[in-house]
Amino acid sequence: NAGVTQTPKFQVLKTGQSMTLQCAQDMNHEYMSWYRQDPGMGLRLIHYSVGAGITDQGEVPNGYNVSRSTTEDFPLRLLSAAPSQTSVYFCASSYLDSRALHFGNGTRLTVT
Amino acid sequence: EDKVVQSPLSLVVHEGDTVTLNCSYEVTNFRSLLWYKQEKKAPTFLFMLTSSGIEKKSGRLSSILDKKELFSILNITATQTGDSAVYLCAVDVSGAGSYQLTFGKGTKLSVIP
Protein backbone atom coordinates (compact mmCIF):
# COMPACT_ATOMS: atom_id res chain seq x y z
CA ASN A 1 0.00 0.00 0.00
CA ALA A 2 2.70 2.48 -1.07
CA GLY A 3 0.54 5.41 -2.32
CA VAL A 4 2.76 8.16 -3.80
CA THR A 5 6.50 7.52 -3.60
CA GLN A 6 9.07 10.24 -4.18
CA THR A 7 12.81 9.83 -4.50
CA PRO A 8 15.23 11.09 -3.37
CA LYS A 9 14.24 12.55 0.01
CA PHE A 10 17.12 15.02 0.03
CA GLN A 11 19.39 16.37 -2.70
CA VAL A 12 22.10 19.01 -2.91
CA LEU A 13 23.04 20.35 -6.33
CA LYS A 14 25.51 22.89 -7.59
CA THR A 15 24.26 25.68 -9.85
CA GLY A 16 24.00 24.45 -13.42
CA GLN A 17 23.71 20.75 -12.60
CA SER A 18 20.73 18.73 -13.80
CA MET A 19 18.71 16.10 -12.03
CA THR A 20 15.42 14.25 -12.08
CA LEU A 21 13.02 13.95 -9.17
CA GLN A 22 11.11 10.70 -9.35
CA CYS A 23 7.44 10.19 -8.51
CA ALA A 24 5.45 6.97 -8.72
CA GLN A 25 1.91 6.12 -7.62
CA ASP A 26 0.19 2.76 -7.39
CA MET A 27 -3.44 3.92 -7.10
CA ASN A 28 -4.16 4.07 -10.84
CA HIS A 29 -4.75 7.83 -10.58
CA GLU A 30 -5.14 9.67 -13.86
CA TYR A 31 -4.08 13.06 -12.43
CA MET A 32 -0.52 13.70 -11.25
CA SER A 33 1.11 16.98 -10.34
CA TRP A 34 4.24 18.61 -8.97
CA TYR A 35 4.23 21.41 -6.39
CA ARG A 36 6.97 23.38 -4.75
CA GLN A 37 6.62 24.68 -1.20
CA ASP A 38 8.61 27.69 -0.05
CA PRO A 39 8.41 29.50 3.30
CA GLY A 40 5.70 32.16 3.20
CA MET A 41 4.59 31.15 -0.31
CA GLY A 42 2.41 28.10 0.19
CA LEU A 43 2.19 25.30 -2.36
CA ARG A 44 2.60 26.37 -5.98
CA LEU A 45 1.79 24.16 -8.95
CA ILE A 46 4.68 23.52 -11.35
CA HIS A 47 3.30 21.03 -13.91
CA TYR A 48 0.51 18.52 -14.04
CA SER A 49 -0.74 15.63 -16.15
CA VAL A 50 -4.20 14.18 -16.72
CA GLY A 51 -2.98 10.95 -18.29
CA ALA A 52 -0.15 9.23 -20.10
CA GLY A 53 1.22 11.43 -22.86
CA ILE A 54 -0.55 14.59 -21.61
CA THR A 55 1.16 17.31 -19.59
CA ASP A 56 0.43 20.97 -18.92
CA GLN A 57 1.99 23.92 -17.14
CA GLY A 58 0.98 25.22 -13.76
CA GLU A 59 1.72 28.49 -12.03
CA VAL A 60 5.56 28.27 -11.93
CA PRO A 61 6.78 26.02 -14.80
CA ASN A 62 9.98 27.83 -15.83
CA GLY A 63 13.13 25.78 -15.36
CA TYR A 64 11.30 22.47 -15.08
CA ASN A 65 10.31 19.75 -17.56
CA VAL A 66 7.98 16.80 -17.12
CA SER A 67 6.84 13.78 -19.09
CA ARG A 68 4.23 11.09 -18.49
CA SER A 69 4.99 7.90 -20.39
CA THR A 70 3.01 5.66 -18.01
CA THR A 71 0.07 6.12 -15.67
CA GLU A 72 2.26 5.35 -12.67
CA ASP A 73 5.27 7.65 -13.16
CA PHE A 74 5.66 11.41 -13.43
CA PRO A 75 9.30 12.56 -13.19
CA LEU A 76 10.29 16.21 -12.80
CA ARG A 77 13.49 17.34 -14.50
CA LEU A 78 15.64 20.31 -13.60
CA LEU A 79 17.81 20.97 -16.66
CA SER A 80 20.14 23.60 -15.15
CA ALA A 81 19.60 24.09 -11.44
CA ALA A 82 19.52 27.60 -9.98
CA PRO A 83 19.58 28.72 -6.32
CA SER A 84 15.98 29.98 -6.79
CA GLN A 85 14.94 26.34 -7.18
CA THR A 86 15.93 25.56 -3.61
CA SER A 87 12.65 24.30 -2.19
CA VAL A 88 10.65 21.31 -1.00
CA TYR A 89 9.01 19.51 -3.92
CA PHE A 90 5.84 17.48 -3.56
CA CYS A 91 4.30 15.11 -6.05
CA ALA A 92 0.54 14.55 -5.73
CA SER A 93 -2.03 12.43 -7.52
CA SER A 94 -5.78 11.90 -7.62
CA TYR A 95 -8.58 10.52 -9.73
CA LEU A 96 -9.46 12.94 -12.50
CA ASP A 97 -12.89 13.79 -11.08
CA SER A 98 -11.55 14.43 -7.57
CA ARG A 99 -9.22 17.00 -6.05
CA ALA A 100 -8.58 14.96 -2.91
CA LEU A 101 -4.88 14.85 -3.70
CA HIS A 102 -2.61 12.18 -2.28
CA PHE A 103 0.83 13.66 -1.63
CA GLY A 104 4.24 12.05 -1.51
CA ASN A 105 6.57 12.79 1.40
CA GLY A 106 8.50 15.42 -0.51
CA THR A 107 12.04 16.01 -1.76
CA ARG A 108 14.10 18.72 -0.08
CA LEU A 109 16.34 20.24 -2.75
CA THR A 110 19.17 22.68 -2.05
CA VAL A 111 20.99 24.40 -4.92
CA THR A 112 24.26 26.09 -3.99
CA GLU B 1 -5.23 36.54 -10.47
CA ASP B 2 -6.74 33.87 -8.24
CA LYS B 3 -6.24 34.44 -4.50
CA VAL B 4 -6.71 32.25 -1.46
CA VAL B 5 -6.04 33.94 1.88
CA GLN B 6 -5.85 32.11 5.18
CA SER B 7 -5.98 33.66 8.62
CA PRO B 8 -4.47 33.71 11.09
CA LEU B 9 -1.05 32.69 9.77
CA SER B 10 -0.21 31.15 13.12
CA LEU B 11 -2.04 30.35 16.31
CA VAL B 12 -1.04 28.97 19.71
CA VAL B 13 -3.71 27.42 21.93
CA HIS B 14 -3.92 25.19 24.98
CA GLU B 15 -5.16 21.64 24.87
CA GLY B 16 -8.94 21.57 25.15
CA ASP B 17 -9.46 24.91 23.43
CA THR B 18 -11.67 25.30 20.37
CA VAL B 19 -10.13 26.98 17.32
CA THR B 20 -11.51 28.43 14.12
CA LEU B 21 -9.35 28.75 11.03
CA ASN B 22 -10.40 30.99 8.17
CA CYS B 23 -10.02 30.79 4.42
CA SER B 24 -11.29 33.44 2.01
CA TYR B 25 -10.97 33.34 -1.75
CA GLU B 26 -11.25 35.40 -4.90
CA VAL B 27 -11.10 33.20 -7.97
CA THR B 28 -12.45 33.34 -11.49
CA ASN B 29 -13.71 29.76 -11.61
CA PHE B 30 -14.75 28.03 -8.38
CA ARG B 31 -15.40 24.29 -8.36
CA SER B 32 -14.72 23.29 -4.76
CA LEU B 33 -12.72 24.17 -1.64
CA LEU B 34 -10.49 21.69 0.11
CA TRP B 35 -8.76 21.52 3.48
CA TYR B 36 -5.52 19.63 4.12
CA LYS B 37 -3.46 18.99 7.25
CA GLN B 38 0.32 19.06 6.98
CA GLU B 39 2.38 17.71 9.84
CA LYS B 40 6.04 17.06 9.24
CA LYS B 41 5.83 15.84 5.68
CA ALA B 42 3.02 15.28 3.21
CA PRO B 43 -0.29 17.15 3.38
CA THR B 44 -3.22 14.86 4.04
CA PHE B 45 -6.75 15.47 2.80
CA LEU B 46 -9.40 16.50 5.33
CA PHE B 47 -12.51 17.84 3.57
CA MET B 48 -13.86 18.89 0.22
CA LEU B 49 -16.72 21.41 0.16
CA THR B 50 -18.79 22.25 -2.87
CA SER B 51 -22.10 23.56 -1.53
CA SER B 52 -22.81 26.46 0.79
CA GLY B 53 -24.13 25.85 4.27
CA ILE B 54 -23.54 22.09 4.43
CA GLU B 55 -21.23 21.18 7.28
CA LYS B 56 -18.69 18.44 6.77
CA LYS B 57 -17.64 16.72 9.98
CA SER B 58 -14.99 14.24 10.97
CA GLY B 59 -14.57 13.63 14.68
CA ARG B 60 -13.58 16.90 16.34
CA LEU B 61 -13.04 18.66 13.01
CA SER B 62 -15.76 20.35 11.01
CA SER B 63 -15.89 22.74 8.08
CA ILE B 64 -18.43 24.84 6.27
CA LEU B 65 -18.45 26.89 3.09
CA ASP B 66 -20.16 30.21 2.32
CA LYS B 67 -20.17 30.72 -1.46
CA LYS B 68 -21.94 34.06 -1.21
CA GLU B 69 -19.33 35.61 1.09
CA LEU B 70 -16.50 33.55 -0.47
CA PHE B 71 -15.03 31.94 2.62
CA SER B 72 -14.77 28.74 4.57
CA ILE B 73 -13.97 27.95 8.19
CA LEU B 74 -12.38 24.92 9.76
CA ASN B 75 -13.30 24.29 13.40
CA ILE B 76 -11.40 22.05 15.75
CA THR B 77 -13.00 21.38 19.14
CA ALA B 78 -11.27 20.03 22.27
CA THR B 79 -7.85 20.45 20.65
CA GLN B 80 -5.09 17.92 21.33
CA THR B 81 -1.33 18.17 20.86
CA GLY B 82 -1.72 15.87 17.86
CA ASP B 83 -3.68 18.63 16.12
CA SER B 84 -0.50 20.70 15.90
CA ALA B 85 0.13 21.12 12.17
CA VAL B 86 -0.14 23.52 9.27
CA TYR B 87 -3.67 23.59 7.89
CA LEU B 88 -3.88 24.33 4.19
CA CYS B 89 -6.87 25.63 2.29
CA ALA B 90 -7.07 25.13 -1.48
CA VAL B 91 -9.59 26.11 -4.13
CA ASP B 92 -10.18 24.00 -7.22
CA VAL B 93 -10.06 26.55 -10.05
CA SER B 94 -10.12 23.97 -12.84
CA GLY B 95 -11.72 25.14 -16.05
CA ALA B 96 -12.02 23.96 -19.62
CA GLY B 97 -8.89 21.96 -20.27
CA SER B 98 -7.13 22.88 -17.03
CA TYR B 99 -6.97 21.10 -13.70
CA GLN B 100 -5.50 23.25 -10.94
CA LEU B 101 -5.69 23.89 -7.23
CA THR B 102 -4.71 27.26 -5.79
CA PHE B 103 -3.43 26.98 -2.22
CA GLY B 104 -3.37 29.50 0.58
CA LYS B 105 -0.20 29.98 2.64
CA GLY B 106 -1.53 27.93 5.52
CA THR B 107 -2.28 28.43 9.21
CA LYS B 108 0.27 27.01 11.63
CA LEU B 109 -1.53 25.68 14.70
CA SER B 110 0.42 24.86 17.84
CA VAL B 111 -1.41 23.13 20.68
CA ILE B 112 0.43 23.22 23.99
CA PRO B 113 -0.33 20.90 26.93
Side-chain angles (χ1 to χ4, degrees):
Chain A
N1 197 15
V4 179
T5 302
Q6 287 184 240
T7 56
K9 293 181 183 176
F10 302 94
Q11 183 71 49
V12 179
L13 291 178
K14 293 188 191 303
T15 297
Q17 287 185 316
S18 63
M19 80 157 296
T20 299
L21 279 63
Q22 301 291 345
C23 175
Q25 53 92 9
D26 61 359
M27 296 171 282
N28 207 29
H29 286 162
E30 303 96 342
Y31 182 85
M32 296 186 76
S33 54
W34 278 101
Y35 287 86
R36 59 178 289 173
Q37 187 173 39
D38 302 294
M41 297 294 292
L43 284 161
R44 292 183 291 168
L45 181 64
I46 305 171
H47 285 285
Y48 66 94
S49 168
V50 298
I54 305 169
T55 63
D56 207 345
Q57 295 181 349
E59 181 186 354
V60 288
N62 292 339
Y64 307 95
N65 279 350
V66 291
S67 60
R68 185 101 177 264
S69 56
T70 67
T71 300
E72 295 78 19
D73 300 298
F74 191 46
L76 178 73
R77 296 184 187 84
L78 284 71
L79 298 178
S80 178
S84 61
Q85 293 178 306
T86 293
S87 188
V88 179
Y89 291 85
F90 287 99
C91 179
S93 71
S94 73
Y95 293 112
L96 197 56
D97 59 355
S98 169
R99 294 298 174 264
L101 294 173
H102 295 254
F103 284 83
N105 282 332
T107 296
R108 185 174 292 276
L109 175 68
T110 302
V111 183
T112 61
Chain B
E1 184 185 340
D2 294 332
K3 282 187 201 175
V4 178
V5 178
Q6 293 187 244
S7 63
L9 290 180
S10 67
L11 189 57
V12 180
V13 301
H14 289 277
E15 265 192 319
D17 287 350
T18 293
V19 298
T20 298
L21 310 182
N22 303 291
C23 176
S24 63
Y25 60 91
E26 286 181 43
V27 300
T28 52
N29 187 41
F30 176 92
R31 288 192 59 192
S32 62
L33 186 144
L34 301 98
W35 286 95
Y36 292 84
K37 177 183 182 182
Q38 185 176 22
E39 295 176 86
K40 293 198 189 303
K41 295 182 179 177
T44 54
F45 171 75
L46 293 175
F47 298 112
M48 182 168 70
L49 303 149
T50 54
S51 301
S52 279
I54 298 175
E55 185 182 54
K56 291 278 183 97
K57 200 168 169 63
S58 176
R60 296 176 294 101
L61 277 66
S62 63
S63 183
I64 198 160
L65 173 68
D66 186 327
K67 289 171 72 173
K68 183 180 176 187
E69 299 298 328
L70 308 182
F71 76 92
S72 174
I73 59 171
L74 176 67
N75 280 324
I76 308 175
T77 60
T79 51
Q80 302 171 356
T81 54
D83 295 326
S84 295
V86 175
Y87 290 84
L88 301 169
C89 172
V91 174
D92 181 358
V93 296
S94 302
S98 80
Y99 297 81
Q100 301 200 26
L101 293 184
T102 297
F103 280 83
K105 294 180 181 179
T107 293
K108 183 177 180 181
L109 174 66
S110 301
V111 181
I112 53 178

